[in-house]
Amino acid sequence: MGKVTLSPKILDVLDFGTPSAERDISRGLEKYFVESDAYQRVRSGAKTILMGNRGAGKSAIFQVLAKRERAAGSHVIELSPEDYSYELLSSTMEAEDAGSWAKQGAYAAAWKYLIYVLVMKALARKGMRLTKGGGREIHNYIRDNHGAHQLGPLSLLVSYLKRLEAIKLGPIEAGLRTRELDRLYKLEEIHNLQPALKKVLDGQRVIVLVDELDRGWDSSEDAKAFVSGLFQACVSINGLHENLRVYVSLRQELYDDIPALYDDAQKHRDLLEKIYWSEESLLELIAKRIRYSAHEKGFDVEALERAGDRACWSAVFASPPGQGRDAAFRYMVDRTLYRPREIIQFCSEALAQARRRASKLPVPYSAIERCEYGYSAERTRDIAAEYRSQYPGLLSIFEVFRSRPHTFDREELELLCLELAVGEIPTRGTESWLPNCYPNDLIEVLWRSGLLTAQANGDGTFLGSHQVQHLNIAAVKRFRIHEMFRSSLGIATPEGAAPGG
Ligand SMILES: Nc1ncnc2c1ncn2[C@@H]1O[C@H](COP(=O)(O)OP(=O)(O)O)[C@@H](O)[C@H]1O
Ligand SMILES: [Mg+2]
């Protein structure tokens, strides 16, 4: 494929979109969406629990799914951050040890109640002159029970939980308590509507999307019961009818942070879709954005449309002299954990840099180098922040690597980790977990978070947790600081590994 030259004017208007899917969707995400197999499995309903790191594309899949389902006439219910507040739950609900509470089960029942009510509301709203096929019953239930007082989703959920709590912890005679609880767990209020609901669902489709559960995550008892209860509810509701699908997205760390989910992993595994990206698919993602943006701005993009992803890339980003045309891509993708948000941000910053000094495309390689420090510093902070609830103070551990060599033998690294655990090297905010950490545990944490890459076999390559799913870290002899963190931590890059020198 030949070289593509772009009009100098494109430099002024080119853009890679925004780093979050919620904002991207109104700017054309659907048109430049990379349709992965993961998306297909979610769309078909084979997978209903979507897992991925921050910025990996969970919301993108949900946003595109929502748009397409709406276009096909389905009802789409989206539950997102404003709709839940972990702090509020913790301050509203009694603690588990206040009685035999069995919170997870209570939350599961409350979620089922909430979702069924929302689904019936959606169905009751549109075309409920439906007098046959179950429509009338649902319509009447919603009118009589949820008509006048319009509670928001979280209030509905909390109100059901409160009913359960009152019976569990209240002064009620034991026999009565069991009966009352049984009624609430079985959702008696709406249970008899299920046949009607099934009939309505024969002709209409409802999709429920629960996203951004990690917003405001505080690792509290209620937060954990809230999410594990949702999983149970999701599995149960998805068994009702193929035209009713509840989808949940979750970050890996959250999943790991909830023992109840971990224990149930076997039950969920076949429903779970994890988002992975490769270098090729990230290149495709950027190439699509380049083509779309140029086209939107009214440029003739025939040459770009014909060009492969690599040619498209190199029309926008130049390689250093004497290096292959994807050297700049290599350089940038090596400084990511393979998440779309990272490559979009890095590319956008390099483009902004270039605009300050150059007047035409491609973006010179020096522009990438100039914005690397800022990008690296932001990523380092953000990654540490992602682990705020599980490993507080992680940033101060990252800082310990400042100005040290980029590569460590296991013995050196173990010693360093030991010094960290016993406090010989001071860190901040890590008291709750670091002192209990064996060197190997800490190495594992640093590998999972992305800071460390591991030499997995004899051929010298170092792999990060974004590149391999399973790796026996205990057997690894050499580790290396990932390139993304190096600039911000002042760690030199090994000879020969830097493109351009
Ligand atoms: N399959 C995809 N195709 C195109 N862009 C994507 C895709 N997945 C993610 N993105 C983009 O990557 C960025 C981060 O994705 P987002 O869905 O917001 O991440 P999160 O997993 O945190 O919800 C957004 O700009 C989004 O549009
Ligand atoms: Mg998101």
Side-chain angles (χ1 to χ4, degrees), residues 22 58-60 211-212 341:
E22 287 80 358
K58 300 177 296 297
S59 302
D211 197 9
E212 310 279 310
R341 182 171 298 150

Side-chain angles (χ1 to χ4, degrees), residues 123-144:
L123 289 168
R125 202 173 301 142
K126 215 198 257 175
M128 263 294 166
R129 263 164 277 119
L130 289 161
T131 43
K132 56 178 181 356
R136 182 189 290 271
E137 278 167 72
I138 289 175
H139 180 79
N140 291 350
Y141 166 76
I142 291 295
R143 184 196 58 204
D144 299 341

